[in-house]
């Protein structure tokens, strides 16, 4: 098992059980205790867990700004990313779009493309697209309503995602890191992104420069599963090069 896969498994177990001993992790992953020790050191260095005597626990979660505030942060950069993103979409394609501040801004741009089918868990995306043009079909996935982000989530949402096959998934992560791949702050948002990735031929992440090289709490996918990252001109060029070396397909700087 590769290190990235072990790291995702360790994080998943910690989110499920809140704490795990090194012995239990070694048994579950079928590796040595020394391998687990190195994994825990790396994950702790990235801020994804806290080592304790004999094992690990989840770190105290940092607070995340309300969605309405995040929608206004680096808004010009997000608008530029949205304009660049639609150049990667062809008329008539089927697109998954998740719920995020950048994808909320993307919605108005998607309305410019003829014949799209947009499948989304974002209420903002669905509301923006609804009625923009008659030849765009918008499908809002059912599920539980989020208390902050205007979107749906949960087992019903995941089961509905699995009913479709999309040409492309347009996703908005919290961070994209060369070693840890794409990550999110909340487990159920990462689950939806992973499900959309599984059902899509092409995966595009929309991430402003502050997200490039950043790591959040929950893994979405490794760099090798990302076909493209669209970011803005403020992104660190060394981090972008490292992402490509880690297997990410292509990076685009929006102007």
């Amino acid at each position: 098992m590769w290190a990235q896969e072990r790291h995702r498994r360790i994080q998943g177990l910690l989110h499920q059980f809140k704490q795990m001993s090194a012995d239990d992790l070694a048994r579950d992953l079928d590796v040595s205790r020394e391998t687990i020790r190195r994994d825990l050191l790396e994950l702790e260095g990235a801020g994804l867990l806290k080592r304790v005597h004999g094992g690990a626990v989840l770190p105290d979660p940092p607070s995340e700004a309300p969605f309405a505030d995040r929608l206004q942060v680096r808004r010009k950069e997000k608008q530029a990313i949205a304009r660049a993103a639609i150049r990667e979409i062809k008329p008539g394609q089927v697109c998954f779009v998740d719920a995020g501040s950048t994808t909320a801004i993307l919605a108005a741009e998607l309305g410019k493309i003829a014949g799209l089918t947009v499948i989304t868990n974002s209420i903002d995306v669905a509301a923006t697209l609804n009625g923009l043009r008659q030849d765009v079909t918008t499908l809002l996935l059912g599920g539980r309503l989020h208390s902050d982000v205007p979107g749906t989530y949960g087992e019903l949402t995941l089961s509905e995602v699995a009913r479709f096959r999309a040409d492309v998934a347009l996703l908005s992560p919290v961070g994209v890191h060369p070693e840890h791949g794409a990550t999110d702050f909340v487990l159920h948002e990462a689950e939806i992104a992973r499900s959309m990735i599984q059902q899509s031929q092409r995966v595009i992440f929309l991430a402003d420069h502050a997200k490039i090289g950043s790591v959040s709490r929950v893994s979405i996918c490794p760099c090798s599963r990302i076909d493209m990252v669209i970011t803005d001109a403020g992104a660190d060029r060394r981090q972008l090069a490292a992402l490509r070396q880690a297997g990410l397909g292509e990076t685009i700087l929006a102007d």
Side-chain angles (χ1 to χ4, degrees):
M1 185 185 299
W2 296 101
Q4 288 181 336
E5 177 62 22
R6 291 199 309 273
H7 292 179
R8 288 196 295 274
R9 289 279 298 277
I10 290 169
Q11 290 177 78
L13 288 167
L14 284 174
H15 279 281
Q16 183 177 358
F17 298 108
K18 309 307 178 187
Q19 64 180 34
M20 291 288 292
S21 71
D23 288 337
D24 286 342
L25 288 169
R27 241 185 334 266
D28 188 89
L29 275 65
D30 194 24
V31 296
S32 69
R33 201 173 190 280
E34 181 60 26
T35 296
I36 291 297
R37 187 188 72 83
R38 290 195 300 268
D39 289 340
L40 296 183
L41 281 169
E42 291 178 18
L43 289 167
E44 184 178 50
L48 297 173
L49 57 76
K50 180 180 179 181
R51 287 188 305 141
V52 296
H53 181 69
V57 298
L58 289 176
D60 294 331
S63 58
E64 188 178 34
F67 180 80
D69 294 343
R70 301 200 303 274
L71 196 60
Q72 302 305 320
V73 174
R74 293 180 290 278
R75 188 173 181 87
K76 289 183 179 179
E77 289 89 339
K78 292 173 181 177
Q79 289 170 334
I81 290 168
R83 290 193 296 270
I86 65 167
R87 293 196 285 268
E88 302 300 321
I89 308 302
K90 299 176 182 179
Q93 287 191 317
V94 178
C95 304
F96 279 124
V97 180
D98 70 354
S101 59
T102 308
T103 50
I105 293 170
L106 171 69
E109 299 295 329
L110 288 175
K112 299 175 182 178
I113 305 175
L116 284 187
T117 297
V118 177
I119 306 164
T120 183
N121 69 315
S122 168
I123 294 172
D124 281 352
V125 169
T128 299
L129 282 170
N130 185 43
L132 276 184
R133 56 187 301 161
Q134 292 184 347
D135 61 348
V136 171
T137 300
T138 306
L139 301 177
L140 177 61
L141 299 165
R144 297 179 62 186
L145 289 176
H146 197 288
S147 59
D148 176 33
V149 178
T152 58
Y153 72 98
E155 291 299 322
L156 177 58
T157 313
L158 294 173
S159 68
E160 291 201 349
V161 170
R163 296 171 61 189
F164 300 97
R165 288 293 299 172
D167 297 295
V168 60
L170 297 158
L171 307 173
S172 178
V174 171
V176 185
H177 186 277
E179 180 180 354
H180 300 290
T183 54
D184 212 320
F185 186 80
V186 181
L187 178 61
H188 62 70
E189 291 178 358
E191 288 176 335
I192 290 171
R194 281 196 295 269
S195 183
M196 289 180 172
I197 289 169
Q198 185 176 357
Q199 299 298 111
S200 300
Q201 293 183 19
R202 192 173 182 221
V203 177
I204 299 177
F205 278 92
L206 314 180
D208 65 64
H209 67 267
K211 298 179 178 182
I212 301 300
S214 296
V215 179
S216 194
R217 302 188 301 174
V218 188
S219 291
I220 298 174
C221 70
C223 288
S224 59
R225 187 61 184 90
I226 304 171
D227 296 295
M228 177 180 290
V229 163
I230 302 177
T231 186
D232 60 83
D236 188 313
R237 301 309 194 268
R238 292 171 298 181
Q239 288 288 341
L240 294 177
L243 289 173
R244 292 191 292 271
Q245 290 176 356
L248 190 147
E250 184 179 0
T251 57
I252 288 181
L253 296 179
D255 51 25

